[in-house]
Amino acid sequence: NAGVTQTPKFQVLKTGQSMTLQCAQDMNHEYMSWYRQDPGMGLRLIHYSVGAGITDQGEVPNGYNVSRSTTEDFPLRLLSAAPSQTSVYFCASSYSIFLDIEYFGPGTRLTVT
Amino acid sequence: GENVEQHPSTLSVQEGDSAVIKCTYSDSASNYFPWYKQELGKRPQLIIDIRSNVGEKKDQRIAVTLNKTAKHFSLHITETQPEDSAVYFCAASEGSQGNLIFGKGTKLSVKP
């Protein structure tokens, strides 16, 4: 199993550009989520999904969209990038939302200039 | 909603000493408490977790204790080694739904 994979590893955007961060898992996990990690702020939940076709907002959802058309994929879209979205983004997955371990992807380092 | 406080933010110990990191949480319905280790430039990785029906759990040099009454839990690392140097994050489930709320992290440095 590849586990949780993310692409790209690094990305530089100009303010106002849009892009999609890709996340995929091959463990047949129902639960997937996106976090952003900023220095001194820990990991903050952006959006999550409890299964294909179901998504919900986390702690910091503004400026981001998600969709879950398949169990395997959970892309994160930045609609109009802003410097405040400069961060490291981690995708994670679990067997279910209820009391389970989260497996993290390798991360995407995004810089918005 | 759930709030998780983690202390200290930095911790420096000598090799062989013990290290303790503490977290408090606010939601009495929280019932899952994992700890993650993140080495520089790497992804967070689960090192140990505890569920609310258990007070203590050990895995070799690592242990976690949970006090539900006081709403705090702690990570204990004994006989620290330089490879234990990393940032450690605690987390607590948001009520019984399972979304994890993370603490801000503790940077542990183990000096040889």
Side-chain angles (χ1 to χ4, degrees):
Chain A
N1 286 353
V4 182
T5 58
Q6 288 182 238
T7 56
K9 293 193 72 172
F10 302 95
Q11 182 71 49
V12 179
L13 290 178
K14 293 187 187 307
T15 297
Q17 287 184 317
S18 62
M19 79 158 294
T20 299
L21 307 185
Q22 302 292 343
C23 174
Q25 52 87 14
D26 60 358
M27 298 175 281
N28 202 32
H29 285 175
E30 289 297 322
Y31 179 80
M32 296 185 74
S33 53
W34 276 101
Y35 294 89
R36 60 177 288 172
Q37 184 174 35
D38 303 294
M41 296 295 292
L43 291 145
R44 293 184 291 169
L45 182 65
I46 304 172
H47 284 285
Y48 66 96
S49 168
V50 298
I54 306 169
T55 64
D56 208 344
Q57 295 180 351
E59 184 183 356
V60 287
N62 292 343
Y64 307 95
N65 271 357
V66 292
S67 60
R68 185 95 180 269
S69 56
T70 66
T71 298
E72 294 77 20
D73 300 298
F74 189 44
L76 177 73
R77 296 184 188 84
L78 279 71
L79 309 172
S80 177
S84 60
Q85 294 179 303
T86 293
S87 187
V88 179
Y89 292 84
F90 287 99
C91 179
S93 72
S94 303
Y95 289 110
S96 79
I97 193 173
F98 299 111
L99 302 183
D100 217 326
I101 300 162
E102 294 210 60
Y103 297 87
F104 284 88
T108 294
R109 184 174 293 275
L110 176 68
T111 302
V112 183
T113 61
Chain B
E2 174 72 280
N3 183 47
V4 178
E5 300 281 343
Q6 183 171 348
H7 299 280
S9 56
T10 60
L11 179 60
S12 182
V13 299
Q14 288 294 130
E15 183 177 358
D17 287 350
S18 295
V20 181
I21 303 169
K22 299 181 179 180
C23 288
T24 61
Y25 61 98
S26 60
D27 186 350
S28 56
S30 294
N31 50 14
Y32 178 58
F33 307 93
W35 286 88
Y36 293 84
K37 176 183 180 182
Q38 187 178 30
E39 297 174 353
L40 189 63
K42 301 281 184 67
R43 73 189 80 188
Q45 292 195 299
L46 180 78
I47 54 171
I48 196 168
D49 59 6
I50 193 167
R51 304 184 193 275
S52 61
N53 58 344
V54 175
E56 183 177 2
K57 183 176 180 181
K58 284 184 181 180
D59 183 3
Q60 298 182 337
R61 297 185 296 108
I62 294 173
V64 57
T65 58
L66 171 65
N67 183 327
K68 288 217 74 180
T69 303
K71 289 190 279 190
H72 67 71
F73 56 112
S74 300
L75 178 71
H76 304 255
I77 306 174
T78 58
E79 300 171 26
T80 54
Q81 301 165 4
E83 51 265 38
D84 294 329
S85 296
V87 178
Y88 292 81
F89 293 97
C90 64
S93 62
E94 197 167 32
S96 59
Q97 294 302 306
N99 279 333
L100 293 179
I101 303 300
F102 285 80
K104 290 186 166 61
T106 296
K107 183 176 181 180
L108 174 65
S109 300
V110 180
K111 300 184 177 179

